[in-house]
Each structure stands twice: as C-alpha cells, then as structure tokens.
C-alpha cells in the first residue's frame, strides 16, 4: 500500500518520501524475516538430526544476534546489559540456527518490553546441567497466566500481542524451541506479569 501510494505519485515532498521510505524499509524487513523464519522452521523439521554441526562459540553467536538487532535496539532506546564469562566451552551445533534463536528472544524483548527498555543477556556454563545457558531477560509486561501454556506453539500469539496490535505471526518462540531441541537442549521461561520475563536457552556441551 505504501509503495503503491509512492508509485502512484501520491507522495510529495522530501520529508514524506523519506518517511515513506523508512516505513517501506521496515515493513519489507519484517516480511523477509517472516519468510526466512517460516522456511527455517520448515527446514528444522525436515533435517532433524542431519544438520551440519561444528564447534560453536556462544559468545560470538550472541554478538552476532545483538549486531542484527543493533538498529532496532537503538531506535527503541534499549539499554543492553551483557554478561559472558571467560572460557565458556564451545557447543556442538548449527551457529546460524542458534543465532536465529537468540535473535528471536531479543526481538521479542524489543517488541514487548518497551515499558522497561532494558535487556539482560547472561551466558553461563552449568556444570551440573552439562549445558551452556543463555538467559535473555526484560523488564516488560511479562506473560499473562492464560498464555503461559501455549507460548511455544507455532502461530500462537499472546493476548497482549493481539490487543496491542504488535506485528508478528507467532512463529518466533516455536522456532526457538525447535532450534533448542535440534541441539538436544530446551527453552524455558519464568515471568512475573507486570515485572518482566527471563527466557533460558539450554544447549548441552
Ligand atoms: N519477552 C516477552 N514478553 C512478553 N510476552 C512475550 C515475550 N516474548 C514472547 N511473548 C509472548 O509470546 C507470544 C509468542 O511469541 P512468538 O515470538 O512466538 O510470536 P510473536 O512475537 O507474536 O510473532 P513473531 O515472533 O512470529 O514475529 C507473543 O505473541 C507474546 O504474546
Ligand atoms: Mg516473536
């Protein structure tokens, strides 16, 4: 619609052109992200167990996910607190898939936790769990009780997301779960409505 107006010559003046350009850029980015996510989701389910696996540096994966969200984080004026200990052991897996998983957790925090404008990312090596844990926390609205059970279902969107009209298709967290499970890991969360959430990605080492 925006590009239609522009093509039809209904947009006049440099300001309006740049405003429309920015909106078209954002919408097309969202669209390509959605297509990429859907393809990745389908891809995981058809390649389970046969994906190429290499030694993956989790710190580098977190840095890449943060770099991918750099513009959004700046635009929405988020403060990011990053904590990664030295000497974190590598995990065995698919770096792209893990980056997408962390990217989805970040994009949710940016989208839903605008009230707090704070994201914490903390990685740790749990010897007890024989896993690397990546915690992504926010000070947003949290997850309503009614949504808690269904959050990781494909295409499920929470009440707040629907009520506020936040863009999305409900595939992000199901992709995170599939990515975790493809690595023999898991994704869980704790959330206090009105206070915030912490999502924890566990990848075995
Ligand atoms: N950090 C968060 N804080 C509060 N609610 C969240 C958070 N992350 C996810 N949710 C809730 O979980 C639902 C499912 O998230 P998911 O990432 O799967 O889908 P989405 O963000 O709605 O759409 P998409 O990821 O496809 O753009 C969201 O609709 C939202 O209600
Ligand atoms: Mg999402």
């Amino acid at each position: 619609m925006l590009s239609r107006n522009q093509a039809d010559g209904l947009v006049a003046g440099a300001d309006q052109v740049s405003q429309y350009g920015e909106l078209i850029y954002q919408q097309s980015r969202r669209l390509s992200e959605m297509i990429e996510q859907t393809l990745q989701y389908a891809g995981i389910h058809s390649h389970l167990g046969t994906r190429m696996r290499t030694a993956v540096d989790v710190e580098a994966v977190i840095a890449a996910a943060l770099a991918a969200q750099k513009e959004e984080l700046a635009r929405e004026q988020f403060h990011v607190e990053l904590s990664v200990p030295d000497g974190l052991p590598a995990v065995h897996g698919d770096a792209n898939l893990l980056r997408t998983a962390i990217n989805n957790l970040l994009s949710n925090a940016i989208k839903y936790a605008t009230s707090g404008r704070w994201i914490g990312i903390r990685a740790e090596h749990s010897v007890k769990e024989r896993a690397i844990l990546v915690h992504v926390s926010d000070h947003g609205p949290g997850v309503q009780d009614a949504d808690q059970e269904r959050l990781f279902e494909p295409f499920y969107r929470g009440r707040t997301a629907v009520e506020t009209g936040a863009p999305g298709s409900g595939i992000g967290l199901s992709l995170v779960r599939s990515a975790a499970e493809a690595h023999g890991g898991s994704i869980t969360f704790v959330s206090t409505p009105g206070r915030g959430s912490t999502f924890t990605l566990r990848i075995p080492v």
Side-chain angles (χ1 to χ4, degrees), residues 99-142:
R99 181 179 38 79
T100 302
I102 295 171
N103 201 16
N104 282 346
L105 296 176
L106 285 175
S107 93
N108 279 348
I110 297 170
K111 193 157 52 167
Y112 302 114
T114 44
S115 46
R117 298 194 191 280
W118 175 88
I119 294 176
I121 308 184
R122 187 167 66 83
E124 61 171 321
H125 176 204
S126 165
V127 177
K128 199 174 112 209
E129 296 188 44
R130 293 187 186 173
I132 299 292
L133 312 184
V134 180
H135 310 279
V136 178
S137 307
D138 65 59
H139 290 164

Side-chain angles (χ1 to χ4, degrees), residues 37 104-105 107-109 111-113 138 141-143 147 151 153 156-161 167-174 197 199:
Q37 300 247 56
N104 282 346
L105 296 176
S107 93
N108 279 348
K111 193 157 52 167
Y112 302 114
D138 65 59
V143 177
D147 293 326
L151 218 61
E153 280 178 26
Y156 184 79
R157 303 208 69 210
R159 286 182 187 196
T160 333
S169 51
I171 203 165
L173 285 179
S174 59
S197 315
F199 286 80

